[in-house]
Amino acid sequence: MHRLVALLLLLLSTAAIAQDARPRVGLVLSGGGARGLSHVGVLKVLEAERIPVDAIAGTSMGAIVGGLYATGMSAADIEAAVRAIDWENVFARRVDRQHLSQRRKEEDFEISPVIEFGLRDGELRAPIGAASSRGLESLLRRYTLPVRQVREFDRLPIPFRAVATDLETGAAVVLDRGDLALALRSSMSVPGVFAPTEVDGRVLGDGGLVNNVPIDVARAMGVDVVIVVNIGTPLAGRESLSSVVGITAQMINILTEQNVQRSLASVGARDILVTPPLGTLSSADFAKAAEAIEIGERGALAVVERLRALATSPEAYARWRQEHPRQRRPEARLDFVAFEGSTLTNPGRFAAQLESQPGKAFNVERAERDARSLAASGDYLHVDYRLVSHRDSDGLVFSLEDKPWGPNYLRLGIDLSTDFNGRGVFNLKLSHNRHWLTDAGTEWRNRVQIGAVPLVYTELYHPLRWTIGISNDWFVAAYAGAERKIGTLYDPEDGTELARYRRTAALAGIDLGQPWGRFGELRFGIATQRLRARPTLVAAPLDDVARAVTERQTGLRLGAVIDQLDFANFPTRGFRAVADMRLGEGSDEGRFRSLDASALAVTTFGAHSLSVFGLARGASAQQRDAIGRYELGGFHQLSGYRDGQLLGNYVLFARLGWYMRLPYAPVVARAFFVGATTEVGNAWATRQAFKDGDLRTGLSLYFGADTGFGPLYLALTHAPRGSSGVMLFLGRP
């Protein structure tokens, strides 16, 4: 009897084990940029159908989604994170302009920051990525912090593998240990878009080049059946092969598709292939994340009957979820803050300005802001952080990789304008900026311009590391420059040309200054300048023109700038105010004084932006001088008047502008715009000459683009007391 009972219990136990036994399921997620966001939709269906995943292998975006799921995040967690991301900022080439130092902001008004080269080791170098990975790295670091101490990916809540490419050998690299955030970023190093990473001495690029659907990697993890999600990008049509960018993208797609077909050939009878119907959704359509997720769900539901064969009971799935929980974000008090990786810079100089400080509790938002602040210097290819733990201490380590094309940075710009009546202007501009001449952060900035307005300028900027008041970053700057311009003296009423003149200016000075964080800058110093206007051709008997005028002025200078514009060209929000006041002795008039002030404010409603700009200038000068110090006229400087048609020593000007961003995504520009301005102002020789109502108006209607060489405008202009015309303008008006 006892033997019969024992045998019965054994049979019942064996039956229960057989009922609960299930195949080990591996999930394979392929790469494809924004198309890979559809993986989130597939995960939602797997969870709804109670299908546990025992191992994950992913490539590129598939590695990112799969890696986050492996940390214990649910599909809903990942979807919420994806929907909250501002993808345009994630892939921005640099930190938002409002967070840059004032020095970096000012460079935007000299030459566009888009085209940047460098000199290093005696050779000219170009950037190695079209987009910055800083935003992506920050997101990956945030969501992998709960598993920061897991070094072997088999010990994650779900075992995981990421696939990358060794760019030196062309071999596939299976990442199964180390820093998870770095592994995910390495797998998505899209050629030409993101710079490659270096892991254990290997230079790694996007895994899609060699194994975009890593079925073999998942099988090597000991699974019995694989669910394969293939979202590969289809080959483009002939219409896309008319540019270098299009051909390069097609070549990468061809290479990827070849290894995809080899992988799919290994799909067995028990395996399940999910192919979301993504259609024309491209690898760059991150703004369509919600649509991609929904398509992923539809793709999984199309094979849901086969997926249900892998489903478990509600109780068994609940147990599986409990065994694979999402880890909590770490809590730690910082004992130290350290820097590593950079050989050209001294990031420790900024340690006192960071929000994360020894003795404070670790805060991920503060760490991200600090990483952004370090990246704002413009010196680094990568800026990442790690929370590390030793035996009895916790610390924050910032990892920085120097730009391979620094520390000598070169920018090229062009000014080009024509009124289609034979009058035009051309300037070629080159800037050089040498960063980190000393550990204090000394910079040497130079600018050369040839063309209609030859110009040279140099400045040596040296932080003092003083601690006065709320600032510890005071600086001293010495500068010198010279400029020459051929101008025309017009009759202010009818625009008749009266004379030609050559104006030259030379200046030198030294300033003591204080940065106001990322808000602006204040300078106080001594400056000297020499101004000379000499007629070269006089078409009328004008006594006060037919002579050379030379002025020398030396005195004190007070300058201030506040800049919170989001873009230097076609800004959508923010404000900027600049003031420069000088007081000293002049060669002719004795005491000299001048004031130059301007302000711009911009706001945006949907696709429409409104801007208000005001300018006031004044300088003491001899009343008999017909060639005034300041000019007014030209596109956006009183449209409908010729460049410099109005001359004087006192200028008032205001401009109200509207522009609308067009719904296109150009390759060669940030965006296209249509806009219009209405302008009012005038110039006077003396303050006494100002008369109420003596103001002129101008109008413009234009099509514009923010290009790599600067803003481009094709405009219609009109002034009631001037003329009407057509303008083509490249550069800053």
Side-chain angles (χ1 to χ4, degrees):
M1 184 67 178
H2 292 292
R3 290 182 178 180
L4 182 61
V5 172
L7 179 61
L8 182 60
L9 291 174
L10 178 62
L11 291 174
L12 291 174
S13 176
T14 304
I17 293 173
Q19 184 177 7
D20 287 342
R22 63 176 183 82
R24 282 178 51 81
V25 177
L27 180 62
V28 179
L29 304 180
S30 67
R35 294 165 66 92
L37 297 176
S38 61
H39 292 315
V40 181
V42 176
L43 293 175
K44 291 176 66 176
V45 174
L46 296 183
E47 290 186 348
E49 298 298 328
R50 303 187 305 278
I51 300 171
V53 176
D54 299 288
I56 303 174
T59 297
S60 196
M61 182 56 78
I64 290 178
V65 175
L68 296 183
Y69 197 64
T71 67
M73 292 181 69
S74 67
D77 293 333
I78 301 175
E79 181 180 21
V82 165
R83 288 177 178 270
I85 293 172
D86 183 348
W87 290 102
E88 184 174 350
N89 284 335
V90 165
F91 299 125
R93 295 185 72 252
R94 65 175 184 175
V95 172
D96 287 348
R97 188 175 179 277
Q98 296 98 321
H99 300 296
L100 298 178
S101 68
Q102 191 57 41
R103 289 188 64 73
R104 300 289 89 85
K105 291 177 184 176
E106 288 303 309
E107 292 171 356
D108 293 353
F109 288 93
E110 298 172 357
I111 299 178
S112 170
V114 175
I115 301 177
E116 181 183 81
F117 297 91
L119 284 173
R120 188 167 181 178
D121 299 330
E123 64 181 33
L124 184 66
R125 298 188 181 185
I128 56 178
S132 170
S133 60
R134 178 195 55 81
L136 178 61
E137 290 162 356
S138 179
L139 288 172
L140 295 178
R141 183 62 62 191
R142 169 182 288 203
Y143 293 117
T144 60
L145 270 174
V147 294
R148 65 186 176 90
Q149 293 181 315
V150 177
R151 309 307 295 175
E152 296 179 0
F153 298 165
D154 279 337
R155 299 181 63 186
L156 290 169
I158 302 176
F160 171 73
R161 301 289 187 272
V163 178
T165 302
D166 188 322
L167 294 181
E168 293 181 289
T169 66
V173 178
V174 178
L175 300 169
D176 62 355
R177 65 190 63 238
D179 185 331
L180 179 61
L182 180 58
L184 302 183
R185 163 66 180 86
S186 299
S187 184
M188 195 177 167
S189 297
V190 182
V193 179
F194 296 135
T197 63
E198 185 172 343
V199 178
D200 297 332
R202 294 178 296 191
V203 179
L204 301 184
D206 195 283
L209 297 173
V210 290
N211 195 355
N212 200 47
V213 187
I215 298 174
D216 57 331
V217 176
R219 292 198 196 282
M221 299 173 73
V223 299
D224 301 309
V225 61
V226 291
I227 300 172
V228 181
V229 186
N230 178 31
I231 48 91
T233 304
L235 299 182
R238 176 175 294 189
E239 65 278 1
S240 68
L241 305 180
S242 58
S243 67
V244 173
V245 174
I247 293 174
T248 301
Q250 184 79 327
M251 291 173 62
I252 294 173
N253 289 341
I254 291 172
L255 291 172
T256 302
E257 189 60 24
Q258 288 176 347
N259 73 66
V260 166
Q261 294 306 317
R262 288 194 298 269
S263 295
L264 294 181
S266 69
V267 175
R270 297 182 64 192
D271 302 326
I272 301 172
L273 177 63
V274 180
T275 308
L278 292 163
T280 59
L281 200 71
S282 78
S283 60
D285 284 331
F286 287 93
K288 299 180 180 179
E291 180 181 348
I293 293 172
E294 190 273 332
I295 293 174
E297 289 186 69
R298 284 196 275 125
L301 290 173
V303 293
V304 71
E305 293 303 324
R306 295 198 62 197
L307 290 172
R308 284 172 178 164
L310 303 174
T312 61
S313 66
E315 296 78 16
Y317 190 74
R319 287 197 302 271
W320 179 83
R321 293 298 302 178
Q322 290 176 356
E323 294 168 357
H324 302 79
R326 182 181 181 184
Q327 305 297 313
R328 295 180 60 186
R329 185 177 290 181
E331 296 181 1
R333 183 164 297 277
L334 299 180
D335 296 298
F336 63 90
V337 175
F339 306 87
E340 66 178 21
S342 176
T343 59
L344 298 176
T345 73
N346 176 29
R349 185 179 84 81
F350 304 112
Q353 301 174 33
L354 300 181
E355 294 184 49
S356 302
Q357 294 291 328
K360 286 187 176 182
F362 169 75
N363 179 278
V364 64
E365 287 78 16
R366 282 200 295 260
E368 289 177 355
R369 288 195 294 268
D370 289 336
R372 181 183 64 195
S373 178
L374 292 168
S377 68
D379 293 304
Y380 306 112
L381 190 65
H382 300 293
V383 178
D384 197 2
Y385 68 89
R386 304 191 316 276
L387 183 61
V388 299
S389 297
H390 298 311
R391 293 179 181 176
D392 55 356
S393 65
D394 295 310
L396 186 63
V397 177
F398 290 95
S399 179
L400 307 104
E401 181 181 351
D402 299 323
K403 285 183 177 178
W405 61 96
N408 289 284
Y409 299 102
L410 301 174
R411 291 183 181 178
L412 184 67
I414 295 175
D415 286 339
L416 173 67
S417 68
T418 178
D419 61 2
F420 297 98
N421 285 319
R423 289 184 291 267
V425 173
F426 174 81
N427 290 302
L428 181 64
K429 301 181 288 188
L430 176 67
S431 73
H432 163 256
N433 201 334
R434 171 58 162 96
H435 293 189
W436 294 98
L437 284 167
T438 68
D439 285 345
T442 305
E443 294 184 11
W444 184 30
R445 180 163 61 184
N446 302 284
R447 182 180 167 197
V448 177
Q449 178 172 294
I450 58 175
V453 185
L455 176 149
V456 293
Y457 180 82
T458 186
E459 181 190 48
L460 191 65
Y461 174 97
H462 178 70
L464 296 172
R465 296 198 242 188
W466 289 355
T467 301
I468 302 177
I470 62 172
S471 174
N472 61 352
D473 202 23
W474 287 69
F475 65 87
V476 61
Y479 59 90
E483 176 186 281
R484 183 177 67 190
K485 179 179 181 180
I486 301 297
T488 302
L489 183 65
Y490 297 94
D491 185 305
E493 298 303 325
D494 58 18
T496 302
E497 296 185 11
L498 303 178
R500 293 285 181 89
Y501 61 91
R502 177 184 293 119
R503 171 176 281 161
T504 59
L507 76 160
I510 184 168
D511 290 334
L512 175 66
Q514 180 192 44
W516 294 334
R518 308 302 177 192
F519 197 66
E521 181 183 271
L522 176 69
R523 291 190 178 214
F524 177 77
I526 300 174
T528 182
Q529 58 182 340
R530 180 180 183 273
L531 308 173
R532 180 176 174 82
R534 184 173 68 86
T536 59
L537 177 65
V538 180
L542 302 174
D543 294 337
D544 53 355
V545 174
R547 64 182 182 85
V549 177
T550 302
E551 299 178 43
R552 295 181 181 85
Q553 295 145 4
T554 300
L556 301 178
R557 173 192 178 235
L558 178 63
V561 56
I562 298 172
D563 190 340
Q564 285 290 284
L565 295 177
D566 58 349
F567 296 98
N569 307 315
F570 300 102
T572 61
R573 64 183 184 276
F575 55 90
R576 172 180 166 88
V578 181
D580 187 286
M581 183 172 63
R582 299 172 187 257
L583 178 65
E585 296 295 326
S587 57
D588 286 340
E589 65 273 14
R591 186 171 296 277
F592 167 80
R593 58 188 180 277
S594 69
L595 175 65
D596 191 336
S598 63
L600 171 66
V602 184
T603 188
T604 294
F605 306 93
H608 301 270
S609 298
L610 294 177
S611 67
V612 179
F613 175 79
L615 171 70
R617 289 174 169 171
S620 58
Q622 293 289 341
Q623 185 172 346
R624 65 177 182 276
D625 295 341
I627 303 175
R629 180 183 300 273
Y630 304 118
E631 300 177 351
L632 190 62
F635 180 60
H636 279 188
Q637 301 299 318
L638 211 55
S639 300
Y641 289 87
R642 296 183 181 180
D643 290 345
Q645 181 172 337
L646 305 175
L647 295 174
N649 298 310
Y650 296 88
V651 169
L652 288 177
F653 174 75
R655 179 179 66 238
L656 177 64
W658 160 84
Y659 44 89
M660 178 181 70
R661 181 169 181 166
L662 299 178
Y664 304 108
V667 176
V668 296
R670 175 186 127 227
F672 291 139
F673 302 86
V674 293
T677 65
T678 179
E679 304 150 29
V680 60
N682 207 344
W684 299 270
T686 65
R687 284 181 295 177
Q688 292 74 21
F690 174 81
K691 297 179 181 178
D692 291 339
D694 189 17
L695 295 173
R696 300 165 184 259
T697 58
L699 306 167
S700 75
L701 178 66
Y702 62 85
F703 168 82
D706 191 3
T707 76
F709 287 99
L712 174 68
Y713 302 89
L714 179 61
L716 300 175
T717 62
H718 173 72
R721 295 169 60 182
S723 61
S724 300
V726 181
M727 286 288 302
L728 177 66
F729 202 103
L730 176 62
R732 294 193 60 81

